[in-house]
Amino acid sequence: MGPFCIRIKPRYFYMRNLSFALLLLFASIGMVSCKKDAAQELVNETNNPQIDSSASYKIIITGTWKMPQHVVPSSDHFSDFVGLVHSDACVLYKLGTLASKGAEDIAERGNAFEINKEMDAYINANKALSKFLVTLTSITAKDSIIINATIKNSRISFESMIAPSPDWFVGIDSYNLIQSGKWITDITLPIYGYDAGTEEGDVFGYANPATVPQHPISLMTPANASVIANGNATIAPFATVRFIKM
């Protein structure tokens, strides 16, 4: 009986000590893991700071259509600048794609009926937040409006006709007010001219044949808009837009 007990007892203590050692090892690993997680969270917070869920902006549009950067015809004007505050799930127009009916009507006639329907559809589908309107009384005038944006709806788009013209317009496509994880505070951007690709003609006029088949939207250049280029190698921006965080 004695020898039997002597053999078992050391094994019992060995197993108990082994279990205790393993328990200490797992606890140490857990503490290291927690410290690593906490450190990683600190790094993430530093690299991706939390931002406000919404922001208000003053949008200022200033016309810069003038000689000698451009030719200025008689009866020159911009139509209303029709805009949308929206998510990345919608666009009013996009360079290199075909213009929607709304974008076409803005470019050819300055008519906002169809584009308002398109914007309303985006808002009703929770893909956009709100519409806005800016009006310039002349091609070098200035006007402003206050808009609200959210993290989900942080993009701005707008369009206005260059008039008179076949199908030329100016605009901003889906500019994101959140840059590098932060709301921008103050920035000014140029507003360029585009050819909607829906009507023929390099003239200051409205009565022009349709482009068949329809072409993708493209930037205005001296090659497709020589009448307004004034002999310049490139066509300068027609306006600027400034976004100021309130």
Side-chain angles (χ1 to χ4, degrees):
M1 192 69 176
F4 179 79
C5 291
I6 290 171
R7 283 197 300 271
I8 294 301
K9 196 170 182 179
R11 184 176 179 183
Y12 166 76
F13 281 111
Y14 170 78
M15 294 299 295
R16 186 173 67 177
N17 291 339
L18 178 61
S19 298
F20 182 72
L22 289 173
L23 181 62
L24 286 176
L25 177 62
F26 291 146
S28 299
I29 293 173
M31 290 176 66
V32 171
S33 178
C34 288
K35 288 181 179 179
K36 286 184 177 179
D37 290 344
Q40 186 60 49
E41 285 178 7
L42 181 60
V43 170
N44 291 341
E45 288 175 2
T46 303
N47 293 337
N48 301 289
Q50 294 294 315
I51 63 172
D52 293 336
S53 60
S54 63
S56 296
Y57 280 87
K58 185 175 186 179
I59 299 177
I60 305 170
I61 297 178
T62 305
T64 59
W65 180 5
K66 58 186 177 181
M67 297 283 284
Q69 293 91 335
H70 316 91
V71 171
V72 179
S74 59
S75 68
D76 54 84
H77 66 280
F78 293 116
S79 66
D80 289 335
F81 286 73
V82 181
L84 186 67
V85 183
H86 60 92
S87 70
D88 60 1
C90 63
V91 293
L92 294 188
Y93 75 90
K94 191 172 184 62
L95 188 66
T97 67
L98 298 182
S100 67
K101 177 60 176 171
E104 176 183 1
D105 284 357
I106 286 286
E108 292 182 3
R109 298 187 295 279
N111 188 318
F113 180 76
E114 288 294 332
I115 202 165
N116 269 297
K117 287 171 57 177
E118 293 173 6
M119 291 191 296
D120 287 340
Y122 283 133
I123 292 171
N124 292 336
N126 293 318
K127 295 179 180 180
L129 183 63
S130 62
K131 301 184 294 184
F132 62 89
L133 191 72
V134 174
T135 302
L136 301 190
T137 56
S138 75
I139 59 173
T140 55
K142 177 189 298 186
D143 192 21
S144 64
I145 193 170
I146 304 295
I147 61 95
N148 294 316
T150 65
I151 290 178
K152 178 184 176 183
N153 297 285
S154 61
R155 297 173 185 270
I156 303 290
S157 295
F158 58 75
E159 299 177 59
S160 169
M161 181 188 186
I162 297 172
S165 74
D167 61 345
W168 300 337
F169 70 97
V170 293
I172 288 288
D173 168 34
S174 304
Y175 182 74
N176 196 348
L177 295 172
I178 297 176
Q179 300 288 331
S180 301
K182 297 184 293 185
W183 292 105
I184 63 169
T185 55
D186 190 342
I187 193 169
T188 300
L189 304 173
I191 302 176
Y192 291 96
Y194 297 89
D195 185 322
T198 59
E199 195 166 286
E200 296 295 306
D202 183 358
V203 296
F204 291 117
Y206 302 100
N208 302 281
T211 298
V212 181
Q214 182 177 338
H215 291 175
I217 296 170
S218 60
L219 277 171
M220 290 175 63
T221 67
N224 62 20
S226 63
V227 71
I228 207 170
N230 201 27
N232 293 301
T234 59
I235 296 181
F238 287 86
T240 62
V241 58
R242 185 178 180 185
F243 300 105
I244 306 173
K245 189 172 181 292
M246 305 299 288

